[in-house]
Amino acid sequence: VLASTVIEASGLVKYFGDFRAVDGIDISVPQGSVYGILGPNGAGKTTTIRMLLGIIDPDEGTRSLLGSANPRSVSDRVGYLPEERGLYPGMKACEVIAFMGALRGLDWSAGRKRGAEMMEQVGLSRVVDEKIRKMSKGMAQMVQLIGSIVHRPELIVLDEPFSGLDPVNQGRLEALIGEERARGATIVFSTHVMAHAERLCDRLAIIAGAKRRFEGTVDEARGQLPLEVRYTPGD
Ligand code: ATP
């Protein structure tokens, strides 16, 4: 019996002008899994994610998100960290988190309380009342991540969440992903670092040159990665 899937996409194609940025990608993400999208810069990971979430429409192919053919209709059940980071510099961390939660239907005071708890989980409780402009980029990124999942979405999609984080914060992010998974969330993240995928993922897709080169478990991936992926240096 197949476990149910939260993302089901088949034959996704996206052009920018004449350039085929995504060339026939299939992705199927089992419910409750951690799923990696691995590939070098420019491979098409972000464009694929944006199609899966309904931020842009594919030129060809079909997709379904949380059982819906209209991904935008389920956006409150999804938490998304985009590749472009950015927060209001004049807001405090706790306000940003509550605000982002409120955009997804979470009560403001509940968002504030839960945000403070999550900041503590990742070792950042001392900056809960700090304004974003006074934080390091990595800290602000953690705040943005927490804000994007404070409403406890069923599906969490993180675009290059490890980029720009020092090893301490990378470890905290790994722990947070583990905790979100333990509460039953499905997590998809992109990365160009195999080690992150190896440590966290149940399954992964490797994308290079706009095409899917591999799909399977981490064990299956070992030893059969395309060279350009296997030798991509860490951050
Ligand atoms: P990175 O890690 O560098 O972000 P990626 O795997 O996420 O890489 P994409 O951002 O999906 O890759 O980009 C895939 C290709 O499509 C790249 O060559 C990029 O330059 C091109 N591309 C992406 N968005 C656009 C756009 N809006 N207009 C034109 N070209 C684009």
Side-chain angles (χ1 to χ4, degrees):
V1 181
L2 279 175
S4 66
T5 55
V6 293
I7 296 177
E8 201 61 70
S10 169
L12 294 180
V13 171
K14 187 70 191 180
Y15 287 93
F16 294 112
D18 290 337
F19 176 65
R20 228 166 142 89
V22 172
D23 190 4
I25 284 183
D26 301 337
I27 286 195
S28 174
V29 178
Q31 184 171 22
S33 66
V34 179
Y35 195 97
I37 300 179
L38 182 69
N41 288 129
K45 303 181 298 294
T46 296
T47 306
T48 299
I49 286 172
R50 290 164 64 87
M51 286 192 279
L52 297 175
L53 297 179
I55 296 163
I56 55 174
D57 287 323
D59 294 315
E60 293 170 31
T62 59
R63 77 213 144 153
S64 104
L65 190 68
L66 296 169
S68 170
N70 175 9
R72 279 178 290 256
S73 71
V74 295
S75 58
D76 281 356
R77 296 160 60 195
V78 178
Y80 171 48
L81 178 73
E83 192 181 42
E84 319 79 48
R85 320 284 198 235
L87 296 171
Y88 297 99
M91 281 171 86
K92 295 176 179 178
C94 58
E95 294 168 343
V96 167
I97 294 167
F99 174 69
M100 291 176 75
L103 290 177
R104 297 287 184 225
L106 183 67
D107 177 73
W108 182 276
S109 59
R112 224 173 145 118
K113 182 163 175 285
R114 219 182 268 170
E117 288 163 7
M118 293 173 83
M119 287 288 280
E120 185 164 8
Q121 264 178 31
V122 299
L124 291 177
S125 49
R126 72 187 182 286
V127 294
V128 164
D129 290 310
E130 200 78 81
K131 288 188 175 166
I132 299 299
R133 74 160 63 88
K134 296 186 77 180
M135 292 185 179
S136 70
K137 263 187 164 170
M139 276 183 194
Q141 185 170 321
M142 294 297 278
V143 171
Q144 184 171 1
L145 178 94
I146 289 171
S148 66
I149 62 175
V150 70
H151 60 299
R152 292 196 181 136
E154 290 156 65
L155 171 64
I156 294 174
V157 179
L158 310 173
D159 198 349
E160 295 273 0
F162 292 99
S163 292
L165 297 183
D166 65 25
V168 171
N169 279 307
Q170 288 188 356
R172 288 167 174 166
L173 174 56
E174 283 191 11
L176 189 62
I177 288 174
E179 279 153 24
E180 291 299 307
R181 177 220 196 112
R183 78 164 170 82
T186 305
I187 296 137
V188 177
F189 71 93
S190 68
T191 178
H192 56 273
V193 182
M194 181 58 185
H196 292 139
E198 275 189 310
R199 278 205 293 277
L200 290 167
C201 295
D202 301 299
R203 299 185 74 81
L204 63 130
I206 296 173
I207 298 179
K211 287 186 158 67
R212 198 188 77 180
R213 312 288 173 167
F214 171 85
E215 205 284 331
T217 65
V218 170
D219 281 343
E220 289 163 356
R222 287 199 186 96
Q224 41 171 309
L225 303 187
L227 289 179
E228 69 268 32
V229 172
R230 206 181 324 155
Y231 295 112
T232 297
D235 258 352

